[in-house]
Amino acid sequence: MTQSALPSTGTPWPELKARMLGYATGDVRWRDGKTAVYVFNAGPEVEQVQKEAYALFQSENGLGPAAFPSLKRMEAEVVGFGLALLHGPEGASGVITSGGTDSITMAMKAARDHARKARGVAGPLNIVIPRSAHPAFDKAAALMEIEVRRTPLKDYLADPDAMAAAADGATVMVVGSAPNFPYGLIDPIARLSALAVSRDLWLHVDACVGGYIAPFVRMNGTDIPPFDFELPGVRSMSADLHKYGYCAKGASTVFFRDKALQDFMTFDFKDWPGGRMVTPTLAGTRPGGAISAAWAVMNFLGVEGYRAKQGEVVRAREAIEAGVTAQGFAVLGRPQLGLVAFTREDVDILAVWAKLREKGWFTGITTEPKSLHLMLSPVHAQVAGAYLEDLAWAVDEVQGAAAPAQVEARYS
Ligand SMILES: Cc1ncc(COP(=O)(O)O)c(C=O)c1O
């Protein structure tokens, strides 16, 4: 990146706005449902609520709850909604963080400090996670110098036996995902909970993707297995508001079975000249807009609204599953929420994925085995047919190509 001088004089906002919109012309057309990664599109009404509610509190700072009781109140209400949806027992607690990585990092910090202070574990520490767990755990482990033991999967799911074998006295956390990102499948959390209870392990359920969709899909009649605080071994959970909660970006929730466990997460410092500083999450300054937008979207949708939106997501997934199966693809496992991965052995999957980009589709990939991967939003119920048509075209193109394409499995 080269240096560029800050303009010596300012530019009027209308001109800047036009230039920014010009920059965006090369972006993927997510409002048309052309992306199935990065953006959760619940339609223009929800987007409007996000924007206006964000703008109302964009300068306020969640770092100062005494100065902004409004944000404190909205955060408490959002956390309350999450705890109610995820069977938080009496005494459970939580906070809003900046995203899934923040929630996971802070849950790990709590688990680590709990191991050190409450259990007296000295020396090197480890976490045991299934191969499909999100890299946020590795990032947090790198920050805290914790060893990561990734265990093999069974039918694309966490294998509790393998995890039991990998855990030892220095294990500060075991993890299950609801669902995992690569396959969109809910790990056998009940068995992980039984393991956690029998060995006194800290089980974290990563429901960053599923926390705000699974409860509503269950209410709509799908038989979702228990995956949350209903299970006694679950000590902490991450659930992202900015994913299937359809809130503005920069908002997730991290929950604890008991406030006493959350207390291990809090950073409380006063050994400097600036006075005592207590921060619940990784951030110092916490954008008020992310909190206010989350509060507004959740109240705007309510149970009825979420059930309708999540019903559309499931409808999109079912249409795509049926369509890709008819085209000779195999769906990996039995997804129940909004993520799906599917593969075909007789075609170069990465080349198909790249061909789809030529038609404007920006979607995900899974690498084990090489598969196409979609993280669906309500809008996809309207474009599933168009996607399937373009998929059939892409497969034909790739099969008819003279030479194999060289494509790297990377989209970030
Ligand atoms: C299962 C899972 N956990 C955690 C994360 C990390 O969330 P974020 O990108 O908000 O940090 C993701 C992101 O896609 C995810 O899919």
Side-chain angles (χ1 to χ4, degrees):
M1 208 160 284
T2 52
Q3 291 185 5
S4 54
L6 181 68
S8 51
T9 58
T11 306
W13 167 237
E15 197 183 312
L16 293 174
K17 185 174 175 185
R19 268 167 51 194
M20 289 165 85
L21 293 173
Y23 285 7
T25 53
D27 289 355
V28 66
R29 296 206 323 272
W30 63 267
R31 287 188 182 82
D32 300 346
K34 282 290 200 173
T35 177
V37 60
Y38 301 137
V39 179
F40 295 79
N41 180 355
E45 264 193 340
V46 172
E47 192 190 349
Q48 187 66 17
V49 173
Q50 283 181 358
K51 264 191 205 164
E52 289 191 23
Y54 200 105
L56 275 180
F57 287 86
Q58 70 181 0
S59 299
E60 281 76 357
N61 190 340
L63 176 61
F68 304 111
S70 54
L71 292 179
K72 185 177 174 189
R73 180 174 179 177
M74 286 187 270
E75 178 174 17
E77 291 183 20
V78 167
V79 165
F81 297 154
L83 286 173
L85 288 168
L86 299 170
H87 297 104
E90 190 62 35
S93 64
V95 295
I96 294 184
T97 71
S98 66
T101 302
D102 190 345
S103 290
I104 286 168
T105 302
M106 295 312 290
M108 270 177 65
K109 181 208 178 277
R112 182 202 59 180
D113 288 4
H114 176 264
R116 291 271 192 240
K117 292 176 188 160
R119 287 172 45 218
V121 184
L125 303 172
N126 68 74
I127 58 168
V128 175
I129 67 175
R131 178 140 184 86
S132 54
H134 193 273
F137 291 96
D138 301 74
K139 186 190 275 190
L143 287 170
M144 291 183 256
E145 297 195 354
I146 292 174
E147 179 199 350
V148 180
R149 298 182 179 169
R150 278 190 181 257
T151 55
L153 306 179
K154 212 173 186 175
D155 299 328
Y156 308 117
L157 296 171
D159 176 0
D161 294 334
M163 293 180 68
D168 58 23
T171 300
V172 297
M173 180 182 269
V174 293
V175 172
S177 308
N180 59 45
F181 180 78
Y183 310 105
L185 305 173
I186 299 175
D187 283 329
I189 309 293
R191 286 190 59 204
L192 294 177
S193 167
L195 167 68
V197 169
S198 70
R199 300 262 300 267
D200 193 21
L201 292 163
W202 180 306
L203 173 60
H204 178 86
V205 173
D206 179 11
C208 279
V209 169
Y212 293 104
I213 180 170
F216 301 106
V217 172
R218 183 186 277 150
M219 286 178 209
N220 285 347
T222 301
D223 187 16
I224 302 287
F227 68 94
D228 58 23
F229 290 114
E230 194 181 351
L231 297 166
V234 179
R235 286 196 199 164
S236 58
M237 293 188 72
S238 41
D240 289 357
L241 295 159
H242 63 198
K243 292 193 172 76
Y244 284 103
Y246 305 119
C247 302
K249 285 199 170 36
S252 168
T253 37
V254 60
F255 300 117
F256 296 85
R257 170 168 293 279
D258 198 296
K259 173 71 169 59
L261 298 178
Q262 181 181 311
D263 288 343
F264 288 99
M265 177 171 83
T266 307
F267 189 74
D268 188 345
F269 188 81
K270 57 176 187 298
D271 189 16
W272 76 314
R276 186 173 171 204
M277 185 116 179
V278 182
T279 46
T281 66
L282 197 56
T285 290
R286 301 169 71 208
I291 296 170
S292 58
W295 183 91
V297 169
M298 291 189 99
N299 281 290
F300 177 73
L301 286 173
V303 170
E304 207 182 354
Y306 276 113
R307 283 185 64 173
K309 296 284 176 206
Q310 312 308 28
E312 286 175 51
V313 172
V314 168
R315 199 153 59 79
R317 179 181 47 73
E318 287 173 349
I320 284 178
E321 278 191 48
V324 301
T325 306
Q327 290 184 31
F329 286 88
V331 172
L332 305 184
R334 200 173 67 85
Q336 295 182 297
L337 303 173
L339 283 177
V340 59
F342 44 95
T343 189
R344 230 177 102 161
E345 278 181 10
D346 61 337
V347 72
D348 180 345
I349 289 289
L350 294 185
V352 171
W353 171 79
K355 271 278 159 213
L356 282 164
R357 280 190 65 179
E358 287 177 26
K359 291 270 185 185
W361 297 102
F362 202 111
T363 60
I365 23 184
T366 291
T367 55
E368 298 174 7
K370 285 195 185 97
S371 312
L372 298 170
H373 176 277
L374 303 175
M375 186 145 63
L376 299 163
S377 292
V379 70
H380 292 115
Q382 295 153 41
V383 297
Y387 173 79
L388 290 166
E389 262 178 44
D390 286 346
L391 176 63
W393 166 84
V395 169
D396 280 351
E397 288 281 304
V398 168
Q399 284 183 325
Q406 300 294 320
V407 183
E408 192 194 358
R410 178 191 167 135
Y411 51 97
S412 60

